[in-house]
Amino acid sequence: MLQWLLEQDFMPHGHCYFWRPDILWTHVISDAVVALAYYSIPITLVYFASKRKDIPFREVLGLFAAFIILCGTTHIMGIVTVWKPLYVIDGMIKAATALVSIVTAAVLIPLVPVALSMRSPAELEAANLLLREEVERRRTAERRLEAAVENLYRSNEELEQFASAASHDLQSPLRAVVNFTQMLRESCAGRLTSEDQEFMSYIEDGGKRMQSLITDLLQISRIGKQEAAPEPVSMDKALEQAKRQLQANIAEKGAVVEVAGPLPEVMGNVAQLTQLMQNLIGNAIKYTSAETRPHIRVSAAREENLWHFVVADNGIGIPEKHLRAVFVIFRRLHTEDEFPGTGIGLSLCKKIVEHHGGSIWAESDVGQGSRFHFTLPAVQSTTPPDR
Ligand code: ADP
């Protein structure tokens, strides 16, 4: 095999040039320069690939390098065969070059569409610039939003402090107005005309109404302030307590409060959850027509980490367009004469539920009744009671 490869029974290529130095050296020097140039290209490619690990089609670079080295070697053989007729080796190298060039071309052609679809560095730079501008715009918007939230938070705090202080400080002068009016009525008994009596009762009623407004406002401003950590609260107990507070109203209207199975325990503040039940059941009893005997049904169902409660009544109902508005503070759908109230009850419920991490909403069929839904966080180890 080696003998075959090194077979030299041929004429050296120099003979074809008649050993004329001008032709011979033109070929030799040109071949040498071309070979040198060819060999330098793979070195540059290897250096480039070692510096840029992210370049695409790295494997094709290897094929390129092999192809170029072989091309260079065919030129070296062009020099060798001027003096040494190693045409077999020369042919073998040419064949190898042909093979590698076919493989390179075959690999390269399908890569053309992929390469064409790739973004050019200029395009990437432009996209990058746009992206940077967008990031900057968003950062500015975010900073503005943070400042606005901070401002809102502060003014909300100030408002709450104001409401709390004002309602607290208003309590005692108001108590004085109500008490002294009562005393005046007693001490002037017999000397007052019926008109005077009427005016006196306006003062008393106004004073009492203001007292309940202040009490409700104070309650709302206290949610979330200096309270104990949430603890498991039995909603059955909260409901019982609420019913006890509403005993007079329940008895007066002959209301029935039905509970669909045992109510679960939730995480929270017992006083607030009792207040929540009291407001919802109190409203359910209050907002019924005179001919209707209030029937209230309380139920609960587990939904992942929450308990979903429903307080359903057979009252007058709420028109669809007011279903959200009723949770806004001071928003009332009736006059004081129709149904007395402060317009704070449901907004207090909303604040309590949201403070517990839940949500509250209402559904209603006018003339048939309403359903108040709210969610509260379950005690983690709680399993749903058997229904
Ligand atoms: P208040 O009862 O003191 O007016 P609320 O905030 O508790 O204040 O309720 C706001 C309004 O929502 C009430 O004025 C009433 O019109 C309506 N509302 C509340 N609960 C019910 C209910 N169960 N059925 C019908 N209307 C209701």
Side-chain angles (χ1 to χ4, degrees):
M1 172 79 175
L2 192 64
Q3 212 178 355
W4 178 70
L5 276 177
L6 297 175
E7 204 180 324
Q8 292 192 31
D9 295 342
F10 312 102
M11 265 192 312
H13 212 170
H15 275 296
C16 302
Y17 306 143
F18 292 149
W19 301 109
R20 262 180 56 183
D22 53 343
I23 298 174
L24 189 143
W25 286 110
T26 307
H27 277 272
V28 169
I29 292 168
S30 301
D31 274 336
V33 171
V34 172
L36 257 176
Y38 270 134
Y39 287 147
S40 74
I41 293 171
I43 294 169
T44 317
L45 278 181
V46 167
Y47 176 77
F48 179 70
S50 70
K51 293 285 165 196
R52 284 287 304 269
K53 305 275 183 222
D54 61 336
I55 49 162
F57 318 131
R58 280 175 78 83
E59 30 333 314
V60 181
L61 280 188
L63 270 177
F64 258 135
F67 165 61
I68 292 167
I69 288 171
L70 282 167
C71 283
T73 311
T74 57
H75 284 273
I76 294 290
M77 286 313 291
I79 299 171
V80 173
T81 52
V82 170
W83 291 280
K84 291 260 172 217
L86 294 170
Y87 294 126
V88 180
I89 294 180
D90 191 23
M92 288 292 113
I93 290 172
K94 269 195 187 141
T97 310
L99 195 73
V100 172
S101 50
I102 286 170
V103 174
T104 310
V107 171
L108 205 59
I109 290 165
L111 288 183
V112 172
V114 183
L116 280 178
S117 70
M118 282 167 65
R119 296 254 187 124
S120 72
E123 277 177 315
L124 284 176
E125 186 62 32
N128 202 9
L129 196 69
L130 278 179
L131 214 63
R132 251 183 279 153
E133 282 171 4
E134 182 60 28
V135 168
E136 196 41 51
R137 244 197 311 276
R138 286 193 184 200
R139 271 207 198 121
T140 313
E142 210 171 283
R143 275 195 293 270
R144 277 206 204 116
L145 203 70
E146 272 169 16
V149 168
E150 175 69 19
N151 264 344
L152 263 176
Y153 187 74
R154 205 175 328 114
S155 59
N156 200 28
E157 278 241 303
E158 282 168 4
L159 253 176
E160 278 185 1
Q161 271 168 13
F162 171 76
S164 164
S167 38
H168 186 265
D169 294 351
L170 282 174
Q171 267 180 329
S172 57
L174 193 61
R175 210 173 301 124
V177 171
V178 173
N179 290 347
F180 282 111
T181 314
Q182 271 169 357
M183 280 162 69
L184 200 63
R185 186 206 283 276
E186 281 160 25
S187 68
C188 295
R191 277 182 284 149
L192 295 177
T193 64
S194 62
E195 201 177 34
D196 295 338
Q197 298 259 18
E198 197 184 327
F199 291 159
M200 291 284 247
S201 43
Y202 285 153
I203 301 176
E204 265 181 90
D205 288 352
K208 279 184 188 153
R209 179 160 164 70
M210 207 159 177
Q211 268 178 332
S212 31
L213 269 168
I214 287 172
T215 314
D216 286 359
L217 271 177
L218 260 178
Q219 258 181 334
I220 221 168
S221 69
R222 278 183 191 142
I223 307 286
K225 292 215 179 75
Q226 295 164 1
E227 54 191 40
E231 53 183 2
V233 174
S234 153
M235 286 304 277
D236 266 330
K237 289 211 177 109
L239 177 67
E240 272 316 304
Q241 186 63 25
K243 274 165 62 183
R244 218 167 296 143
Q245 302 287 339
L246 294 164
Q247 220 167 18
N249 312 39
I250 294 178
E252 187 195 333
K253 289 237 191 171
V256 176
V257 182
E258 179 200 344
V259 187
L263 294 180
E265 282 196 330
V266 296
M267 284 307 283
N269 176 303
V270 65
Q272 290 175 13
L273 295 175
T274 305
Q275 186 70 53
L276 169 70
M277 286 309 224
Q278 189 178 325
N279 287 6
L280 292 178
I281 293 173
N283 278 351
I285 297 171
K286 181 164 60 168
Y287 295 104
T288 44
S289 63
E291 315 77 62
T292 313
R293 184 175 180 191
H295 188 122
I296 299 128
R297 190 171 191 274
V298 184
S299 58
R302 182 73 182 245
E303 282 174 9
E304 292 175 9
N305 292 333
L306 297 168
W307 279 102
H308 178 168
F309 294 84
V310 183
V311 176
D313 64 48
N314 58 342
I316 54 174
I318 303 169
E320 168 112 43
K321 63 176 180 200
H322 296 307
L323 282 174
R324 288 164 76 97
V326 288
F327 293 100
V328 176
I329 193 163
F330 301 133
R331 197 65 68 86
R332 306 204 66 227
L333 306 181
H334 305 95
T335 63
E336 183 69 12
D337 288 340
E338 288 174 297
F339 296 101
T342 58
I344 299 178
L346 284 181
S347 68
L348 179 62
C349 291
K350 183 165 157 48
K351 195 156 179 196
I352 291 174
V353 170
E354 286 177 356
H355 178 60
H356 280 76
S359 47
I360 184 165
W361 67 100
E363 291 172 344
S364 189
D365 299 304
V366 175
Q368 291 182 36
S370 310
R371 291 166 300 286
F372 282 85
H373 298 256
F374 59 93
T375 55
L376 290 171
V379 178
Q380 277 321 311
S381 57
T382 306
T383 47
D386 291 337
R387 291 273 148 87

